[in-house]
């Protein structure tokens, strides 16, 4: 079995992480966090989401965050800053703020689709097709998500064939990459490999990414299981921040520091500097008044303190 030699990390902390924070994080802190993540070597950082501020108040400063990040002298031109756009209204607002990449987010579970974006899967795919048509006319890149690929907080287990079906629809719409969201972190290496096997029948592995929440502590094992099948793009969240406001009990994504530690141990390149990443994690954790959820970060920082 050969593992990929290089992996791309998509940092989702500023969006998936912060969207779940009850207390509003100041815009300047969000911008500083994104700048630090870019400086640490991450080449894709999901900056914010152009969703309804009534639904997710934490993301209400989306335009200000994106504008500032794109204009920042500290931002590197090779870094992409995708933003979530649930519909054309969000897409237009993202465009106005300068977005060069957007992400559309469908679900493999009907109930989650309704709770999260207030419409059925079929209706959501129509909305997303409108967004991706508008994007492709303007050469804006589109990334796709499928949520609840293994299980749904409302319906329980999800058939891998259903997740693959939604992934295929997103591919047909022109998404350059489809991120498989284990929204409630219920997957295990076996169920994740079954999922990937179903998906690769319709979407090439190069176009698939793993987006694993760490609710049950399985995310690192799930990444390893995905690497075994040739997957080479993973979403992660600095300091393990986050969750989804419409998936009760879902904890944060796998921590970026944990993934970088895993990849370094396997000799897999990811272009991220651990020291700068740790500092970015400490920066946001200090602001939130808690320790980083990353086990690797806590261990590395404790070792440093003891030296
Ligand atoms: P809706 O209420 O059905 O929308 O919400 P509507 O079209 O009926 O419009 C109602 C009002 O919202 C109108 O305003 C619209 O203008 C406004 P009014 O006329 O009443 O003043 N509106 C908007 N405002 C700002 N931005 C917009 C927008 N669209 C309509 N884009 C909607 C539908 C999709 C907007 C809503 O359900 C929503 O914003 N949901 C947010 C969901 C969300 O952000 N969830 C978390 C991210 S997904 C996730 O975390 C999973 C992921 O990480 C993968 C995984 O882990 O599985 C990606
Ligand atoms: Mg997520």
């Amino acid at each position: 079995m050969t593992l990929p030699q290089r992996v791309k990390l998509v940092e989702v902390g500023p969006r998936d992480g912060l969207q779940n924070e009850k207390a509003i994080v100041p815009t300047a802190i969000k911008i500083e966090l994104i700048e630090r993540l870019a400086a640490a070597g991450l080449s894709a950082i999901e900056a914010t989401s152009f969703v309804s501020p009534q639904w997710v108040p934490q993301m209400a400063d989306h335009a200000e965050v994106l504008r500032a990040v794109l204009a920042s002298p500290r931002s590197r031109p090779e870094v992409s800053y995708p933003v979530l756009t649930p519909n054309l209204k969000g897409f237009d607002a993202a465009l106005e703020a300068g977005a060069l990449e957007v992400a559309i987010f469908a679900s493999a579970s009907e109930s989650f689709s309704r709770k999260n974006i207030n419409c059925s899967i079929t209706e959501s795919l129509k909305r997303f097709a409108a967004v991706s048509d508008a994007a492709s006319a303007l050469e804006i890149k589109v990334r796709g998500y499928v949520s609840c690929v293994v299980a749904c907080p409302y319906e329980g287990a999800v058939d891998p064939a259903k997740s693959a079906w939604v992934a295929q629809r997103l591919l047909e719409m022109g998404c350059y990459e489809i991120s498989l969201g284990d929204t409630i972190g219920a997957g295990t290496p076996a169920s994740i490999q079954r999922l990937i096997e179903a998906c690769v029948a319709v979407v090439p592995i190069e176009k698939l990414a793993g987006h694993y929440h760490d609710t049950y502590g399985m995310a690192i094992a799930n990444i390893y299981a995905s690497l075994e099948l040739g997957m080479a793009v993973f979403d992660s969240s600095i300091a393990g921040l986050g969750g989804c406001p419409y998936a009760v009990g879902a904890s944060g994504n796998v921590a970026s520091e944990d993934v970088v530690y895993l990849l370094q141990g396997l000799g897999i390149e990811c272009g991220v500097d651990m020291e700068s990443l740790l500092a970015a994690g400490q920066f946001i954790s200090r602001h939130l008044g808690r320790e980083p959820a990353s086990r690797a970060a806590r261990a590395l920082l404790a070792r440093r303190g003891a030296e």
Side-chain angles (χ1 to χ4, degrees):
M1 170 219 6
T2 327
L3 302 181
Q5 290 180 345
R6 202 180 158 79
V7 152
K8 179 181 160 192
L9 293 185
V10 178
E11 170 60 51
V12 297
R15 192 281 303 171
D16 204 344
L18 295 184
Q19 75 182 7
N20 212 35
E21 292 295 327
K22 294 279 172 295
I24 299 294
V25 176
T27 305
I29 298 279
K30 294 176 182 169
I31 296 166
E32 167 94 29
L33 173 64
I34 295 168
E35 289 175 338
R36 283 171 175 261
L37 292 166
L42 285 148
S43 62
I45 304 169
E46 204 169 69
T48 183
S49 55
F50 285 78
V51 296
S52 159
Q54 268 80 48
W55 283 63
V56 188
Q58 184 65 261
M59 296 283 115
D61 58 357
H62 38 227
E64 210 183 325
V65 169
L66 184 60
R67 274 208 188 91
V69 163
L70 293 173
S72 166
R74 289 164 74 191
S75 105
R76 295 182 295 125
E78 64 275 25
V79 180
S80 58
Y81 297 98
V83 293
L84 295 195
T85 52
N87 51 21
L88 277 175
K89 187 177 169 86
F91 177 76
D92 289 343
L95 203 63
E96 209 180 306
L100 297 170
E101 180 172 335
V102 298
I104 53 182
F105 48 109
S107 168
S109 136
E110 203 59 64
S111 309
F112 184 76
S113 183
R114 287 182 188 279
K115 295 270 187 201
N116 193 40
I117 49 175
N118 205 22
C119 66
S120 67
I121 296 173
T122 306
E123 176 58 28
S124 78
L125 293 175
K126 278 191 210 139
R127 290 182 193 176
F128 293 138
V131 171
S132 64
D133 285 351
S136 78
L138 295 163
E139 294 184 19
I140 304 275
K141 288 175 80 182
V142 184
R143 189 168 198 253
Y145 278 105
V146 185
S147 281
C148 300
V149 287
V150 171
C152 164
Y154 310 102
E155 293 178 16
V158 169
D159 184 350
K162 187 68 192 289
S163 302
W165 183 85
V166 178
Q168 190 178 12
R169 302 286 84 74
L170 294 175
L171 180 74
E172 287 165 358
M173 274 179 213
C175 290
Y176 76 91
E177 188 169 282
I178 291 123
S179 180
L180 302 174
D182 182 10
T183 317
I184 55 169
T188 60
S191 56
I192 289 289
Q193 288 198 338
R194 275 197 299 277
L195 165 78
I196 295 173
E197 275 156 9
C199 289
V200 291
V202 288
V203 179
I205 190 76
E206 303 76 37
K207 288 185 181 262
L208 288 173
H211 177 106
Y212 306 142
H213 284 259
D214 202 21
T215 321
Y216 293 82
M218 291 292 111
I220 282 289
N222 292 340
I223 289 180
Y224 191 80
S226 308
L227 287 167
E228 285 186 327
L229 296 186
M231 187 180 268
V233 184
F234 297 98
D235 301 355
S236 66
S237 177
I238 186 70
L241 297 178
C244 174
Y246 300 103
V248 175
S251 76
N253 285 92
V254 65
S256 305
E257 299 93 320
D258 291 356
V259 183
V260 170
Y261 186 82
L262 171 75
L263 296 174
Q264 285 181 345
L266 292 169
I268 297 175
E269 284 284 317
C270 68
V272 178
D273 174 57
M274 181 63 107
E275 286 305 309
S276 316
L277 193 65
L278 285 174
Q282 279 183 295
F283 167 77
I284 192 62
S285 300
R286 266 194 212 114
H287 174 79
L288 297 172
R290 55 175 182 257
E291 289 290 299
S294 162
R295 301 271 295 272
R298 291 208 302 261
L300 290 166
L301 292 168
R303 198 171 73 192
R304 187 170 312 152
E307 278 166 7

